[in-house]
Amino acid sequence: MAYKMSNIDQLITLEAFLQGHPTIKYIPPSSPEYATARKPFNGACLDNPLAVVQPQSPSDVAALVKHAKLNKLPFTIRVGGHNLEGRCVVQDALLIDLRALTTVTVASDRKSATVQGGILQNELANELWEYGLATPKGEIPSIGYVGWATYGGYGPFSSHWGLGVDQIIGATVVDPTVI
């Protein structure tokens, strides 16, 4: 794969940054994992990101977004990767893959749960089921729950429990303007 000089410079800068953040998994284009790690749900989308990074914590996400913004590095966020146009993977942009962020913490009163941004709908449903709980979700289990819910969240349980967006009672947002 041929790279423009700016891509090489961006990779060098990214690799230097990642040395100070050893918990972030780094998958460069030279890695045998790259082809699988970059692939969106829509296999017809052939864009190649600059690299794929997999943060392991919310603070890793914040650090990556801050780095990208400070270095004018375009980036995308991916969970399930189901956008039909494949917008989660953009040519020469850093792909921040949130799939390691799947923790669900059910409140002691069992009336709410804290959900990390990388969880898929089937994973959330399975976690909640262990507590005898449920939430509206879509029909495709491999779609990222947070993205689905924030886009409205229509699904087979919406007529009974409301939309996915109706279930959100709070959020922690990574805002690069205040980082």
Side-chain angles (χ1 to χ4, degrees), residues 14-173:
L14 176 63
E15 289 171 358
F17 162 78
L18 290 171
Q19 287 181 356
H21 297 84
T23 58
I24 299 172
K25 185 174 179 184
Y26 173 55
I27 306 170
S30 60
S31 169
E33 296 176 65
Y34 179 81
T36 302
R38 64 150 292 282
K39 188 175 181 183
F41 178 76
N42 181 350
C45 298
L46 302 175
D47 286 348
N48 290 299
L50 177 73
V52 179
V53 288
Q54 297 173 330
Q56 305 299 304
S57 69
S59 62
D60 284 350
V61 176
L64 282 164
V65 170
K66 182 177 182 179
H67 170 79
K69 294 302 282 182
L70 288 173
N71 291 283
K72 297 180 175 46
L73 175 60
F75 66 94
T76 60
I77 303 289
R78 180 187 61 201
V79 177
H82 281 266
N83 180 282
L84 290 178
E85 285 109 22
R87 291 183 181 153
C88 61
V89 178
V90 172
Q91 186 68 35
D92 299 328
L94 179 64
L95 172 56
I96 301 174
D97 181 351
L98 298 184
R99 288 292 301 123
L101 304 175
T102 60
T103 301
V104 175
T105 305
V106 174
S108 59
D109 66 2
R110 297 170 34 126
K111 292 184 179 183
S112 65
T114 300
V115 178
Q116 286 189 319
I119 197 158
L120 300 178
Q121 292 190 60
N122 67 319
E123 294 169 335
L124 178 59
N126 290 338
E127 286 285 326
L128 293 176
W129 187 254
E130 289 185 27
Y131 291 88
L133 302 172
T135 191
K137 65 179 197 68
E139 295 184 39
I140 301 173
S142 60
I143 288 179
Y145 182 80
V146 173
W148 169 82
T150 57
Y151 273 107
Y154 295 89
F157 302 116
S158 295
S159 62
H160 183 70
W161 289 322
L163 303 173
V165 70
D166 296 332
Q167 312 310 308
I168 300 171
I169 57 176
T172 301
V173 178

